[in-house]
Amino acid sequence: HRSSAPESDAHWSITMGEKEGLKIEKKGSAEVAQVEADIDKLKNEAAQPGAMLTTIEKMLAQEKTYRLQADFVATPRYCVGILQVLHAAGDWKGINEHIMLLSKRRAQLKQAISAMVKEAITYIDRAPNLEVKTELIETLNTVTSGKIFVEVEKARLTRALAKIKEEAGKIDEAASIMQEVAVETYGALSKHEKLFFIEEQVRLCLDKGDYIRAQILSRKINAKSFDEIVKAEKKAAFEAAKKAGEDVSQMDLDKDMTEEERAKEEKKKNASMEHAEGYFEATDPTIPPVPELKLRYYHLMIRFYSHSNEYLEICRCYQNIMECEGVKEDPSKWTPVMKKVVWYVALAANEPMQQSLLHQISKDAKLADLPLHKQLMKQFTTKEIIHWDTLAAAFGSEMAAEADIFGGDDGEKRKKDLRQRVIEHNLLVIGEYYSRVTLQRLGELLCLPADETEKHLSDLVTSKKVSAKIDRPGGVVDFKTKAQGADWLLNQWVGKIDKLLNTLDKANHLIHKEAMAHKVSLEA
């Protein structure tokens, strides 16, 4: 890649001599201007009635001449000129045919194919109807398939075709089209555009109901990438402003950096190997900014986790949303998100991660503005029994207001899950304070009948959250009995065997010692 030419008006081509073999020639601005003038003249001829086909034949002949000379200045111009003539005549079928024809010609130059594709992409929005538009996109998709030098165009064409299918209500077909492209392997595509493309793949899979593939695709996105892209974009803006001679005192990105980080950055700047100029294509301007993509990503993950009711993961997604740009500074935006964080951590099953998150959220300063939700967190973090009827009455209006959580098809299930969490909390509290308690008294404390009390207790014992034994004939529960598993029994057995072997070794040693002292033979 030539980052800078010695002569700005110089163009290059390769010609084949009779004896000297391959020879690189420089095409000056005068020659380029002559080529462009010839193409303009042919375009004017094609505009005359009935002269289009004859003119295209001439242009194809000229294209062949320059192509066989490997002239990558004139060849792309003639290829683009042919498409422009056909577009001016409104011959959309001819455009598709000539794109395929020119791209398949012998020894066709990469520059010519790239120029044709870029020119044809500008015609997509000018297509007279959806059918013509779709046919042109499919033609360009075929031409760009497997060609690394037009991979950016391939990704954008795929996205455009999928959008058309989605708008037509063909979600499955749109998802299949998007999945054909492994966009993470496209080196020329910016990280910003890659993230958007993968998010679109995940969204279409969720719309289709393919949650397994959505999970696989979502793992291609590292949440840290969003912050890295924002930092890189700010740095690029800073460098551009500095180069333009603008005042960058308010844009100093290094003021918070340590000396070590500054040294690394300086070393990176002075490295002998740098990225080639124009290595990454400019991001499509229609793509949303990075902060919006970050929010979009977490909302997609919430949709995914909601399908399997993974409340703890949903809670963590909402926590990340609260830290997003545009949310953390605005109380009107973070307040509803904070409420969801509280409800979902309360809905999550009791486990070490849930308990850690529960105590972390209960200490959040933002809860000071939400007294009712702060009270809920306090009840779950205090070792006191929670009465379900009292809780349901106190938080009934808040639960009704959270239609996203307690409304819809999953609303009733989540209310049952919240009741289950309250029962689990109460059983864990009772296990802390009681060593033995009757089933009848346990049912009274939990406000549950004996059968349901036994069922919930059995579930907790099975999941190893509570250590207890139930004496059903006596109707007594023993909470202080430590349930010993297979590992414990094996360790006990190994310990006893070690002790036995040590005793045998000691006895053997003493016997030999006495035998040697009294000069007695131990042989039979």
Side-chain angles (χ1 to χ4, degrees):
H1 178 82
R2 295 179 59 85
S3 59
S4 60
E7 297 180 43
S8 59
D9 61 345
H11 298 271
W12 299 82
S13 65
I14 302 173
T15 60
M16 178 73 77
E18 292 179 359
K19 295 181 181 179
E20 66 273 25
L22 283 175
K23 182 175 68 176
I24 298 179
E25 287 188 352
K26 185 169 67 175
K27 210 177 259 296
S29 56
E31 293 178 347
V32 174
Q34 182 61 46
V35 169
E36 290 177 347
D38 291 343
I39 293 170
D40 290 338
K41 185 179 177 182
L42 289 168
K43 285 183 190 175
N44 292 330
E45 283 182 20
Q48 302 300 320
M52 186 186 75
L53 294 176
T54 309
T55 306
I56 287 177
E57 288 296 329
K58 290 179 184 177
M59 295 179 84
L60 286 170
Q62 287 288 85
E63 181 272 337
K64 180 180 179 181
T65 303
Y66 286 116
R67 171 167 46 84
L68 295 178
Q69 291 176 4
D71 188 333
F72 49 76
V73 175
T75 309
R77 284 172 166 77
Y78 270 98
C79 289
V80 169
I82 291 167
L83 295 186
Q84 288 173 344
V85 167
L86 291 165
H87 179 257
D91 187 358
W92 294 92
K93 186 178 179 182
I95 290 173
N96 290 325
E97 289 174 354
H98 281 81
I99 289 171
M100 295 298 294
L101 172 70
L102 290 166
S103 65
K104 290 181 178 178
R105 281 193 149 187
R106 182 171 67 89
Q108 186 57 277
L109 302 175
K110 292 178 181 180
Q111 292 86 347
I113 295 174
S114 180
M116 273 197 305
V117 170
K118 287 177 180 176
E119 177 67 22
I121 284 175
T122 63
Y123 301 157
I124 291 173
D125 293 331
R126 306 179 206 169
N129 55 57
L130 186 61
E131 185 181 350
V132 171
K133 185 177 182 180
T134 306
E135 189 177 349
L136 179 58
I137 292 173
E138 287 175 347
T139 301
L140 290 170
N141 255 334
T142 304
V143 170
T144 56
S145 183
K147 296 180 177 67
I148 195 169
F149 53 90
V150 283
E151 61 185 6
V152 174
E153 287 77 15
K154 169 67 175 173
R156 292 172 182 173
L157 288 165
T158 302
R159 188 155 48 84
L161 185 59
K163 186 178 179 182
I164 290 170
K165 298 295 182 185
E166 185 185 3
E167 288 172 354
K170 300 175 181 177
I171 301 295
D172 291 2
E173 200 171 333
S176 300
I177 290 167
M178 289 291 281
Q179 286 162 26
E180 290 173 1
V181 178
V183 75
E184 65 276 7
T185 64
Y186 286 13
L189 208 61
S190 67
K191 286 184 179 180
H192 187 168
E193 199 161 347
K194 283 181 187 177
L195 285 174
F196 177 70
F197 196 97
I198 297 170
E199 283 185 8
E200 283 293 287
Q201 290 178 320
V202 173
R203 181 182 63 79
L204 286 169
C205 284
L206 291 174
D207 292 344
K208 182 183 175 182
D210 189 352
Y211 291 95
I212 294 173
R213 193 174 293 275
Q215 184 182 26
I216 294 168
L217 290 167
S218 68
R219 287 175 179 169
K220 293 179 181 180
I221 297 178
N222 185 351
K224 293 180 182 177
S225 302
F226 297 103
D227 297 330
E228 289 172 3
I229 293 170
V230 169
K231 187 178 178 182
E233 288 179 352
K234 284 181 180 177
K235 187 175 178 181
F238 175 80
E239 293 293 337
K242 193 175 179 182
K243 192 174 181 180
E246 297 176 12
D247 182 16
V248 293
S249 58
Q250 301 299 321
M251 298 174 63
D252 189 6
L253 302 179
D254 299 337
K255 60 184 178 182
D256 297 325
M257 292 174 67
T258 63
E259 289 298 327
E260 187 179 350
E261 288 173 336
R262 282 198 184 95
K264 283 183 180 177
E265 285 295 322
E266 192 64 30
K267 188 177 178 181
K268 190 175 177 183
K269 282 179 187 175
N270 298 330
S272 58
M273 195 171 177
E274 295 180 357
H275 283 295
E277 186 180 336
Y279 181 74
F280 293 106
E281 288 283 344
T283 304
D284 187 348
T286 60
I287 291 175
V290 177
E292 193 175 327
L293 287 184
K294 189 176 182 181
L295 276 172
R296 195 166 175 264
Y297 166 71
Y298 286 119
H299 283 297
L300 287 171
M301 295 314 298
I302 287 166
R303 277 184 64 189
F304 169 73
Y305 291 125
S306 296
H307 172 69
S308 52
N309 288 318
E310 295 182 46
Y311 301 126
L312 193 61
E313 292 299 329
I314 297 172
C315 174
R316 292 171 71 180
C317 286
Y318 276 117
Q319 275 192 307
N320 288 319
I321 287 173
M322 285 187 65
E323 297 301 317
C324 288
E325 183 182 335
V327 177
K328 60 183 177 182
E329 306 92 353
D330 189 351
S332 64
K333 289 182 179 177
W334 63 252
T335 300
V337 177
M338 188 67 194
K339 290 180 179 180
K340 286 181 171 60
V341 168
V342 169
W343 282 115
Y344 277 113
V345 77
L347 282 165
N350 188 288
E351 58 180 65
M353 180 64 77
Q354 187 263 354
Q355 286 296 303
S356 174
L357 207 56
L358 186 69
H359 285 83
Q360 179 189 334
I361 293 166
S362 66
K363 294 174 185 176
D364 198 314
K366 291 185 173 70
L367 276 180
D369 299 328
L370 302 168
L372 211 55
H373 294 78
K374 187 174 183 179
Q375 182 189 341
L376 181 65
M377 288 293 93
K378 187 179 179 182
Q379 285 185 308
F380 275 99
T381 52
T382 307
K383 292 183 178 180
E384 294 180 3
I385 290 174
I386 303 172
H387 294 286
W388 168 249
D389 294 337
T390 308
L391 185 139
F395 295 92
S397 59
E398 284 293 330
M399 289 168 69
E402 294 289 349
D404 294 345
I405 304 174
F406 298 106
D409 298 335
D410 295 330
E412 288 302 318
K413 182 185 182 303
R414 287 175 178 175
K415 286 177 183 176
K416 288 178 182 176
D417 287 342
L418 182 60
R419 184 170 179 264
Q420 176 70 19
R421 298 293 93 81
V422 170
I423 293 168
E424 285 181 8
H425 169 82
N426 291 343
L427 281 169
L428 290 167
V429 169
I430 292 167
E432 289 287 329
Y433 290 107
Y434 284 82
S435 58
R436 288 168 62 85
V437 65
T438 62
L439 272 173
Q440 183 181 354
R441 176 57 181 158
L442 186 61
E444 290 173 2
L445 290 170
L446 297 175
C447 303
L448 293 173
D451 293 344
E452 197 172 344
T453 302
E454 187 179 338
K455 178 185 176 299
H456 287 297
L457 181 60
S458 300
D459 290 341
L460 284 180
V461 171
T462 305
S463 59
K464 297 183 181 179
K465 293 178 182 177
V466 170
S467 296
K469 282 190 176 180
I470 304 173
D471 180 3
R472 296 187 75 183
V476 176
V477 179
D478 185 357
F479 279 106
K480 294 303 177 186
T481 302
K482 296 293 181 185
Q484 311 297 354
D487 291 342
W488 180 85
L489 291 172
L490 184 61
N491 288 335
Q492 291 293 312
W493 178 81
V494 169
K496 289 176 181 177
I497 292 295
D498 284 343
K499 189 176 179 182
L500 175 62
L501 292 174
N502 288 333
T503 305
L504 287 173
D505 285 341
K506 189 175 181 180
N508 186 40
H509 174 71
L510 290 172
I511 289 168
H512 278 84
K513 184 179 177 182
E514 290 296 321
M516 290 173 69
H518 297 286
K519 298 180 180 180
V520 177
S521 176
L522 295 176
E523 293 180 2

